[in-house]
């Protein structure tokens, strides 16, 4: 397609959107659903760990007690009681909030899209980790944003490199996932978070902090968001979701930010989707108010940790000699690096033919992709399936799949 032109007889569409192209990752996720395939590709929670009975009771109770309200239109900002509940949740995490600081979104992906439209002008620069979450890049690119990578290490963004990038590129925003990052699983430690906050406090730019995974932690001590620093209250947009801790099908997410910007985000959302489903919001709220979240999450965390260990303990057997990989403290992903000149893209078709699929790490880079990297999700398969998937990977990489 050129300048939005489609095949003959079809009127043109927006040229910028037409030029975005498809996502290779989405195609891999489609392949991952094939019968018999063991998928380490997606980031979906484990179906068998959903509280189906509890969610069903919440829907039934909401319909029985508030049926007309649940089935009616509602406010674009979201149900006030749910916003208040989220504000309490965030305040307990160190991000002091009131209901007026929250807008409900249809999953955090809609939140990223809204931020892209409201905060990012055409050609606005966004600084990101490298690699980073591809769907955030897609959301921001819809508005014409451009991306620059910030040097990262095993602790996340390097503060000195962030400062240098801000001075060099004059960005509109910094986008980061500091807790159990997607795709690497890396978590930024407390001291590093403070140093990043110090840098951001010195500059008039937005912090877009994406936090979908922090409740899936395998250690007792939670991590305070960078947005908890009071110096950033007026320039932080903090995103969260119930997708990973309750159910992604509910499509309940949120943005916490300055009320002046939330007003514009709300107006923009109104023009796109009018509102987030009323009944889903009320059912999520009912479930949250009638269950101890920590008590519900503890067995989920324990099972995910078992699955993480099964994957990490097997990767030394599965991947070529000299490969490295991490053991994340939470979240959903393990990041692996094979030595040069191994290429995860080159081996992927063979892996798929052998019934196992992963995401080549090169798909996640803003710049300078490393072909020997791959992202593996450990949450969606049982320990037994992970063991079988590891054996299939071993067969794949036992061959000399190099560039």
């Amino acid at each position: 397609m050129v300048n939005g032109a489609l095949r003959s007889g079809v009127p043109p569409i927006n040229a910028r959107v037409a030029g975005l192209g498809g996502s290779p990752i989405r195609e891999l996720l489609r392949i991952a659903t094939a019968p018999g395939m063991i998928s380490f590709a997606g980031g979906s929670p484990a179906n068998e760990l959903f509280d189906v009975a509890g969610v069903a009771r919440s829907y039934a109770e909401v319909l029985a007690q508030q049926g007309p309200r649940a089935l009616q239109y509602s406010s674009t900002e979201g149900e006030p009681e749910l916003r208040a509940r989220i504000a309490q949740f965030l305040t307990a995490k160190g991000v002091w909030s009131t209901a007026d600081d929250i807008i409900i979104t249809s999953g955090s992906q809609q939140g990223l899209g809204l931020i892209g439209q409201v905060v990012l002008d055409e050609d606005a620069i966004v600084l990101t980790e490298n690699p980073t979450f591809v769907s955030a890049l897609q959301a921001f690119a819809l508005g014409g944003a451009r991306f620059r990578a910030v040097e990262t290490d095993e602790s996340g963004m390097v503060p000195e490199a962030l400062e240098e990038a801000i001075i060099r590129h004059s960005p509109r925003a910094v986008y980061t996932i500091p807790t159990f990052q997607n795709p690497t699983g890396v978590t930024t430690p407390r001291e590093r978070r403070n140093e990043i906050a110090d840098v951001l406090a010195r500059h008039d730019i937005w912090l877009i902090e994406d936090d979908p995974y922090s409740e899936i932690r395998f250690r007792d001590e939670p991590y305070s968001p960078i947005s908890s620093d009071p110096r950033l209250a007026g320039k932080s947009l903090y995103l969260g979701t119930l997708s990973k801790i309750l159910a992604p099908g509910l499509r309940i997410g949120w943005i916490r930010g300055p009320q002046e910007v939330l007003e514009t985000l709300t107006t923009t959302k109104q023009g796109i989707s009018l509102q987030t489903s009323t009944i889903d919001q009320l059912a999520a709220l009912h479930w949250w108010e009638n269950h101890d979240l920590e008590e519900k999450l503890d067995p989920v965390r324990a099972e995910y940790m078992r699955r993480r260990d099964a994957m990490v303990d097997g990767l030394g057997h599965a991947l070529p000699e000299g490969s490295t990989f991490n053991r994340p403290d939470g979240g959903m992903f393990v990041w692996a690096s094979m030595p040069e000149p191994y290429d995860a893209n080159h081996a992927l078709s063979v892996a798929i033919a052998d019934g196992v699929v992963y995401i080549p790490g090169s798909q996640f880079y803003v710049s300078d992709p490393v072909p020997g990297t791959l992202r593996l999700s450990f949450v969606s398969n049982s320990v037994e399936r992970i063991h079988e998937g590891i054996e299939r990977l071993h067969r794949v990489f036992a061959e000399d799949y190099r560039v």
Side-chain angles (χ1 to χ4, degrees):
M1 271 181 297
V2 179
N3 295 327
L6 302 174
R7 68 179 184 273
S8 178
V10 178
I13 62 174
N14 182 295
R16 184 176 64 242
V17 176
L20 291 176
S23 167
I25 292 177
R26 294 298 173 196
E27 177 62 19
L28 288 176
L29 296 181
R30 183 190 65 79
I31 292 170
T33 62
M37 185 69 67
I38 295 178
S39 175
F40 296 150
S44 300
N47 293 346
E48 67 274 17
L49 299 180
F50 291 151
D51 182 15
V52 176
V55 172
R57 285 192 297 271
S58 289
Y59 273 96
E61 287 293 319
V62 165
L63 285 170
Q65 298 174 12
Q66 307 179 70
R69 176 188 176 187
L71 299 177
Q72 186 54 276
Y73 288 119
S74 186
S75 66
T76 305
E77 303 94 309
E79 294 300 308
E81 301 97 325
L82 180 59
R83 291 162 61 210
R85 183 68 188 82
I86 291 168
Q88 294 172 2
F89 177 65
L90 298 187
T91 297
K93 292 166 72 75
V95 186
W96 189 90
S97 306
T98 70
D100 290 338
D101 300 317
I102 309 293
I103 177 177
I104 304 298
T105 58
S106 298
S108 57
Q109 187 62 35
Q110 185 186 52
L112 291 168
L114 291 172
I115 289 171
Q117 293 181 69
V118 169
V119 172
L120 304 176
D121 295 324
E122 180 83 24
D123 292 329
I125 299 295
V126 180
L127 302 180
T128 76
E129 295 145 340
N130 194 38
T132 191
F133 179 45
V134 171
S135 293
L137 301 181
Q138 291 175 319
F140 298 156
L142 286 172
R146 296 182 291 140
F147 307 100
R148 297 291 182 270
V150 176
E151 180 187 349
T152 57
D153 60 18
E154 66 279 359
S155 296
M157 279 189 176
V158 176
E160 296 81 6
L162 175 60
E163 180 105 57
E164 180 182 340
I166 291 172
I167 293 170
R168 178 186 304 170
H169 298 297
S170 300
R172 180 67 56 83
V174 174
Y175 172 72
T176 181
I177 311 171
T179 307
F180 316 136
Q181 198 244 12
N182 181 2
T184 65
V186 164
T187 294
T188 302
R190 180 179 293 105
E191 182 177 354
R192 175 73 65 87
R193 292 176 190 234
N194 293 337
E195 293 171 349
I196 290 172
D198 289 342
V199 172
L200 294 173
R202 291 194 289 269
H203 298 277
D204 188 22
I205 59 175
W206 286 101
L207 166 64
I208 305 171
E209 183 173 5
D210 201 356
D211 188 18
Y213 306 110
S214 63
E215 295 305 312
I216 309 174
R217 60 181 185 272
F218 305 148
R219 296 185 178 184
D220 291 337
E221 184 179 4
Y223 297 89
S224 296
I226 298 172
S227 296
S228 64
D229 191 303
R231 295 172 297 172
L232 306 181
K235 49 187 174 183
S236 163
L237 295 165
Y238 179 73
L239 297 103
T241 180
L242 292 182
S243 291
K244 308 303 187 292
I245 59 178
L246 181 51
L250 287 173
R251 308 311 303 139
I252 301 296
W254 56 84
I255 305 171
R256 184 268 190 193
Q259 294 176 25
E260 298 84 350
V261 177
L262 290 184
E263 291 176 5
T264 308
L265 288 166
T266 300
T267 302
T268 305
K269 179 188 173 187
Q270 189 172 40
I272 296 171
S273 62
L274 189 60
Q275 66 160 102
T276 301
S277 165
T278 310
I279 189 171
D280 290 348
Q281 291 185 70
L282 293 176
L285 175 65
H286 182 278
W287 186 94
W288 208 344
E289 289 182 332
N290 287 275
H291 294 86
D292 184 312
L293 184 60
E294 289 297 308
E295 184 179 292
K296 283 290 185 180
L297 285 176
D298 278 346
V300 176
R301 292 164 177 155
E303 179 59 25
Y304 284 170
M305 186 165 64
R306 289 181 64 241
R307 297 179 183 192
R308 177 208 62 182
D309 290 344
M311 176 168 283
V312 172
D313 292 345
L315 282 178
H317 168 68
L319 298 180
E321 185 178 354
S323 297
T324 60
F325 40 87
N326 58 354
R327 187 182 295 267
D329 288 334
M332 296 185 165
F333 307 109
V334 170
W335 184 252
S337 298
M338 300 182 292
E340 294 182 353
Y342 281 94
D343 189 332
N345 291 283
H346 189 57
L348 181 59
S349 61
V350 181
I352 291 171
D354 205 11
V356 61
V357 61
Y358 55 82
I359 304 290
S362 58
Q363 301 288 339
F364 298 95
Y365 282 85
V366 174
S367 63
D368 304 317
V370 180
T373 55
L374 55 159
R375 188 194 78 174
L376 302 136
S377 174
F378 54 82
V379 297
S380 301
N381 294 290
S382 67
V383 167
E384 292 72 25
R385 290 276 288 175
I386 290 172
H387 288 159
E388 174 58 28
I390 290 291
E391 285 302 317
R392 295 180 188 184
L393 281 180
H394 171 67
R395 292 196 294 269
V396 170
F397 290 110
E399 302 296 331
D400 192 13
Y401 289 111
R402 307 189 187 197
V403 176

